[in-house]
Amino acid sequence: MLMSDMMTRDVPLLHTKDTLKQGVELLRCTKLDALPVVDEEGSLIGIFTKANVLDAFLAGADSSEIIGQHFNPQVVTVQVDAPYREVEQRAKQSSVGTGVVVDKNGKALGIFTKVDMILALFREAEQLATKLSTVYQAMPNGIIVVDQDNRIQQINPAGEKILGLEQEVLKGRLFDDVISGLNLNVVLKQSKQLAGVQTQMNNVTVLCNISPVGELAGTVIVFQALTDFDQVALELDATKRLYETLLTVTNIGYEAIFVVDDQGKITLVNEAACKFFNKREEELLQQPIDQVIENTRLLRTLKTGMAETNEVQVIYGRPYIVSRLPIVRQGKIIGAVGKIIFQKLEEVKDLAQKLAQMDLELNFYKEQVGSTRLPVTFNQIVTVSQDMRRLKQEAEIAARGNSTIMLTGESGTGKELFAEAIHQASPYRNGPYVKVNCAAVPENLLESEFFGYASGAFTGAQKGGKAGKFAVANGGTLFLDEIGDMSLNLQSKLLRVLEDRCFEPVGSNEPVKVDVRIIAATNKDLIQKVASGEFRSDLYYRLNVISFRLLPIRDRAEDIIPLVHVFLERLNQDFGKKISGVTSGVHKILINHRWPGNVRELKNVIERAVNFASGELLEAADLPFYLREEKQEFLTLAKEWNLENAHEHLDKETLEKALLKMNGNKSEVARLLGISRSWLYEKIRRYDINPR
């Protein structure tokens, strides 16, 4: 509290040429005992009090005389920003009942009386009482207040809970009658403080601190149940044992292991890491990892949550095998673990030579068939969402068998990535990975596309026949995307292949035996299609042996920013830019958007933004216009029709309305509906829509 909170403001000011009559009238009107006197420039020169008035009239002064001869030039002043404690001390030391409050330039702003001081004291006491009451009510420890007659005055909620007694029952009763085993006489009569007293209260073992209140005014007992302390001690002991076990395990290994927090600072290192960096543990702890290891990618792991294992990295001019793993808790990246293999490298060198030979062979095949991308693994699927991480773990376990797997979820949620990751984690990973979009294959070619055909099977057939997708995928995985759009005729044949593991090509009577792992995916409600007769129930249950539903990105918003960093890393390479992240405004926009197109839409938005970005951070102006609008109203063509419904139920009427709204611009329609342009064209063809 400052003087500005205690002073009396808007006080009239007297001048030396004002008369005694004017001064008396102002004192009577304001009901004050004194008023400031200022010069022509408004600076304080004195104070005019009721005592000055009485002295003037006793001396025979006339009411028309000016006050310049009767005011007191000796005035107590207080700065307007003076704190309460300073004002309190000055008031105690001064015999003057009224002071003048001034600013730094000496201008009078008001007056301050001892009445103001008393009122301020009351306000301060009320605020202090409120704070103490809040603390009293909120404390986890039990508190009992006992008066000088040994009668209980108060017990706080925590105390009621610990002892199982209510204040209404305890208040006013003798402490010894209610709670035995604790003698307060020493504290009450001798005003001695007792600490760490263990006793029984209402059959509860507690630890107490007992303090006297003033001089023989009572006692305050602060207590806590020992069971709480025991639990905390057990948890601390378990944590200590776990930490010691962790240190022992990390020190056993030959690898240099170090842990960083979410800011990239080292929080734990093992002995091998100290040896590798040639530094003591205390020299490494709390150091930024990028100042300890050159070209470290741990900061990338902190941003994206992407694990990297057994990567070759050059450190101090020598190549080492490095692994990085994010530490995720409750959907947030809280740190990362790094591992460097630098001892017993002879076996690693042999392995590296074999890998180099394989690289030469791979490069040869690349030159023969064209460049190819690296296969997708579960480590490359970026997520910090607890639900998605659990789903990844379950999918990786399921991949080890040979059961058919069904992937469901909205368009753009990453079903293709999961399918390939399952293949790479399965026993079929050394075989081919073949994917077929069931919605993109023309109806009249479906059977030959899946099962192939024999030579001369039909007019225009390729000489010598053609192998179908099942034959090509033999020994590997066949990924059937958009399985919900497969014709009923092909569904029955697919069911037979799944049951018998063999098929007959078109135009052939010779069965072909295959060993193929089937992964199916759809964004449709197959249960509903089964109910309507559009999908065979027996095929559905045959495909749905193990199913995983991928979450839309709006249900795992914590994944948005890590995905953005992954996209930025790739796009920076493609466009030759150095964009390190997004502004807080863009962060808020991205988190709040519902992303009907899911990860696919997010990737397109970031790519568009990188094209227009000119700085090191993506700005709101770089985003598409529809994301920058304060209120996003997507295709609200009718009250009962909106984008979310349109995405889930992409029927003919929805497409027609969308095309009409966007004036036939198919790219805009596909973007707003969260689907690919090829899928949009296929829907237009199926529904026989004239896009105009």
Side-chain angles (χ1 to χ4, degrees):
M1 186 183 296
L2 302 177
M3 170 55 73
S4 57
D5 302 316
M6 300 180 281
M7 61 185 280
T8 300
R9 297 178 177 273
D10 300 325
V11 174
L13 304 177
L14 291 173
H15 296 79
T16 55
K17 293 183 179 180
D18 291 335
T19 65
L20 288 172
K21 180 181 179 181
Q22 290 174 317
V24 171
E25 288 175 345
L26 286 175
L27 286 172
R28 183 175 178 80
C29 178
T30 58
K31 297 180 180 180
L32 297 173
D33 292 331
L35 291 173
V37 181
V38 298
D39 60 16
E40 294 180 355
E41 296 179 355
S43 297
L44 180 70
I45 59 173
I47 189 168
F48 183 68
T49 68
K50 288 182 178 180
N52 295 139
V53 174
L54 294 174
D55 290 342
F57 287 134
L58 287 173
D62 188 80
S63 62
S64 61
E65 287 187 25
I66 61 174
I67 67 173
Q69 301 174 4
H70 302 287
F71 74 91
N72 184 3
Q74 301 297 322
V75 57
V76 175
T77 60
V78 184
Q79 292 289 328
V80 69
D81 57 355
Y84 172 82
R85 295 302 175 193
E86 178 183 330
V87 177
E88 183 183 24
Q89 290 301 319
R90 294 196 62 180
K92 289 178 179 179
Q93 297 170 3
S94 175
S95 60
V96 178
T98 303
V100 180
V101 182
V102 296
D103 61 13
K104 294 181 179 178
N105 299 319
K107 300 289 184 181
L109 301 177
I111 64 171
F112 177 72
T113 67
K114 290 194 174 181
V115 173
D116 292 329
M117 181 69 196
I118 294 171
L119 293 176
L121 182 61
F122 282 146
R123 289 198 298 272
E124 185 78 4
E126 288 176 359
Q127 292 178 5
L128 180 60
T130 301
K131 293 176 182 177
L132 288 175
S133 177
T134 302
V135 172
Y136 174 80
Q137 297 292 328
M139 276 190 67
N141 302 98
I143 300 176
I144 297 177
V145 180
V146 180
D147 65 14
Q148 67 272 22
D149 298 323
N150 204 23
R151 293 188 180 274
I152 298 173
Q153 297 300 308
Q154 282 184 308
I155 181 171
N156 70 339
E160 291 179 316
K161 184 177 180 181
I162 293 171
L163 301 182
L165 298 172
E166 296 182 358
Q167 175 155 302
E168 289 76 8
V169 177
L170 297 178
K171 191 170 183 180
R173 298 183 62 182
L174 287 171
F175 182 83
D176 295 339
D177 292 345
V178 179
I179 300 173
S180 59
L182 188 62
N183 190 348
L184 301 182
N185 288 332
V186 175
V187 179
L188 287 171
K189 295 180 179 180
Q190 302 179 21
S191 295
K192 288 186 177 180
Q193 184 174 2
L194 301 178
V197 178
Q198 182 175 331
T199 187
Q200 289 275 333
M201 286 189 181
N202 201 33
N203 297 321
V204 178
T205 303
V206 296
L207 194 65
C208 305
N209 286 341
I210 309 168
S211 303
V213 179
E215 289 293 332
L216 306 177
T219 304
V220 174
I221 306 165
V222 181
F223 60 95
Q224 181 65 52
L226 276 179
T227 52
D228 295 342
F229 289 112
D230 293 341
Q231 182 63 33
V232 171
L234 287 173
E235 292 178 0
L236 288 174
D237 186 56
T239 302
K240 184 179 179 181
R241 289 201 307 270
L242 182 62
Y243 181 74
E244 291 173 348
T245 302
L246 175 63
L247 285 179
T248 302
V249 170
T250 56
N251 286 329
I252 286 176
Y254 291 108
E255 302 91 350
I257 298 175
F258 44 93
V259 180
V260 299
D261 61 16
D262 58 347
Q263 301 299 314
K265 292 184 177 181
I266 299 173
T267 58
L268 186 146
V269 290
N270 67 347
E271 293 176 359
C274 295
K275 181 178 179 181
F276 177 80
F277 295 118
N278 195 26
K279 291 184 178 181
R280 297 190 304 274
E281 180 181 3
E282 54 268 24
E283 293 177 313
L284 291 172
L285 292 179
Q286 298 305 314
Q287 293 299 311
I289 190 64
D290 55 350
Q291 295 181 15
V292 176
I293 305 178
E294 58 183 355
N295 304 320
T296 180
R297 288 168 64 88
L298 262 179
L299 299 180
R300 174 180 182 269
T301 302
L302 287 174
K303 287 183 177 181
T304 66
M306 184 182 293
E308 296 178 325
T309 56
N310 298 328
E311 299 283 339
V312 176
Q313 180 179 340
V314 176
I315 304 174
Y316 304 145
R318 295 185 60 184
Y320 297 98
I321 297 177
V322 180
S323 298
R324 310 166 191 90
L325 189 69
I327 304 173
V328 179
R329 183 171 64 196
Q330 296 180 348
K332 291 185 178 181
I333 303 171
I334 62 170
V337 180
K339 181 179 73 172
I340 303 173
I341 299 176
F342 71 102
Q343 300 187 51
K344 293 193 173 182
L345 287 177
E346 292 304 320
E347 296 178 3
V348 176
K349 289 181 179 179
D350 292 339
L351 177 61
Q353 291 176 354
K354 294 178 181 178
L355 290 174
Q357 181 61 35
M358 291 177 65
D359 282 340
L360 292 175
E361 296 176 6
L362 179 61
N363 289 332
F364 171 77
Y365 290 121
K366 282 183 178 180
E367 292 174 0
Q368 299 299 314
V369 300
S371 62
T372 183
R373 64 176 178 82
L374 292 174
V376 176
T377 65
F378 281 108
N379 280 344
Q380 293 171 275
I381 298 178
V382 177
T383 181
V384 296
S385 162
Q386 288 183 330
D387 292 334
M388 284 294 288
R389 286 168 65 87
R390 188 183 307 111
L391 192 148
K392 278 176 56 175
Q393 293 171 355
E394 292 174 355
E396 193 165 4
I397 293 172
R400 299 168 190 165
N402 59 2
S403 299
T404 302
I405 294 177
M406 172 75 78
L407 302 175
T408 62
E410 297 177 10
S411 178
T413 51
K415 295 187 289 296
E416 289 188 27
L417 291 179
F418 259 80
E420 187 170 351
I422 290 171
H423 167 72
Q424 294 297 334
S426 75
Y428 296 87
R429 58 183 170 273
N430 294 324
Y433 173 70
V434 180
K435 58 181 179 180
V436 182
N437 189 330
C438 300
V441 180
E443 178 75 24
N444 59 333
L445 296 179
L446 278 172
E447 188 172 354
S448 60
E449 187 73 16
F450 276 95
F451 307 119
Y453 55 82
S455 180
F458 51 84
T459 303
Q462 181 177 310
K463 186 177 180 180
K466 178 185 177 182
K469 298 297 184 183
F470 270 96
V472 173
N474 188 28
T477 301
L478 180 61
F479 174 47
L480 303 177
D481 198 9
E482 304 294 353
I483 189 72
D485 293 296
M486 181 178 286
S487 69
L488 287 170
N489 179 44
L490 188 59
Q491 288 178 31
S492 62
K493 296 185 178 182
L494 175 61
L495 177 63
R496 188 178 73 247
V497 176
L498 294 178
E499 295 288 352
D500 302 337
R501 295 293 173 177
C502 67
F503 64 90
E504 295 178 358
V506 177
S508 173
N509 294 323
E510 294 294 328
V512 177
K513 193 77 173 176
V514 289
D515 179 19
V516 176
R517 171 74 170 279
I518 300 294
I519 302 175
T522 182
N523 59 5
K524 302 293 180 61
D525 186 348
L526 289 188
I527 293 291
Q528 185 178 357
K529 293 180 76 71
V530 168
S532 62
E534 299 177 68
F535 201 87
R536 292 179 62 107
S537 61
D538 46 5
L539 177 60
Y540 169 76
Y541 292 114
R542 186 65 184 81
L543 291 172
N544 199 42
V545 177
I546 301 174
S547 65
F548 299 106
R549 179 167 183 80
L550 275 62
L551 299 177
I553 200 169
R554 63 178 172 273
D555 292 340
R556 47 185 179 105
E558 62 268 35
D559 282 342
I560 292 175
I561 299 305
L563 284 167
V564 167
H565 284 293
V566 172
F567 298 149
L568 283 177
E569 182 178 337
R570 298 172 185 171
L571 292 169
N572 280 335
Q573 295 177 354
D574 294 342
F575 293 96
K577 295 193 175 185
K578 296 182 178 180
I579 301 172
S580 60
V582 301
T583 64
S584 59
V586 172
H587 185 287
K588 185 176 181 181
I589 291 173
L590 297 180
I591 294 298
N592 290 336
H593 184 53
R594 285 189 59 78
W595 300 107
N598 290 296
V599 180
R600 184 181 295 121
E601 181 189 2
L602 175 62
K603 184 177 184 299
N604 292 340
V605 164
I606 299 304
E607 183 173 349
R608 190 264 190 199
V610 169
N611 273 282
F612 288 93
S614 56
E616 294 184 355
L617 297 175
L618 294 183
E619 305 278 352
D622 302 326
L623 299 176
F625 178 72
Y626 76 95
L627 280 178
R628 285 179 272 145
E629 292 178 300
E630 185 175 357
K631 294 183 180 180
Q632 302 173 25
E633 298 177 359
F634 295 93
L635 298 178
T636 51
L637 304 177
K639 290 183 179 179
E640 57 279 335
W641 186 77
N642 54 49
L643 177 62
E644 191 170 348
N645 291 333
H647 179 68
E648 295 177 359
H649 308 288
L650 209 53
D651 55 14
K652 182 177 181 180
E653 181 183 3
T654 295
L655 284 179
E656 288 177 336
K657 289 179 179 179
L659 287 164
L660 178 64
K661 177 68 176 179
M662 304 312 298
N663 298 319
N665 188 323
K666 300 180 187 63
S667 296
E668 290 298 311
V669 172
R671 178 178 60 80
L672 292 176
L673 292 177
I675 61 176
S676 64
R677 288 184 63 184
S678 61
W679 181 226
L680 175 64
Y681 282 120
E682 176 61 22
K683 283 291 187 181
I684 291 173
R685 183 190 66 78
R686 289 192 181 191
Y687 292 136
D688 194 23
I689 297 175
N690 182 7
R692 290 185 292 277

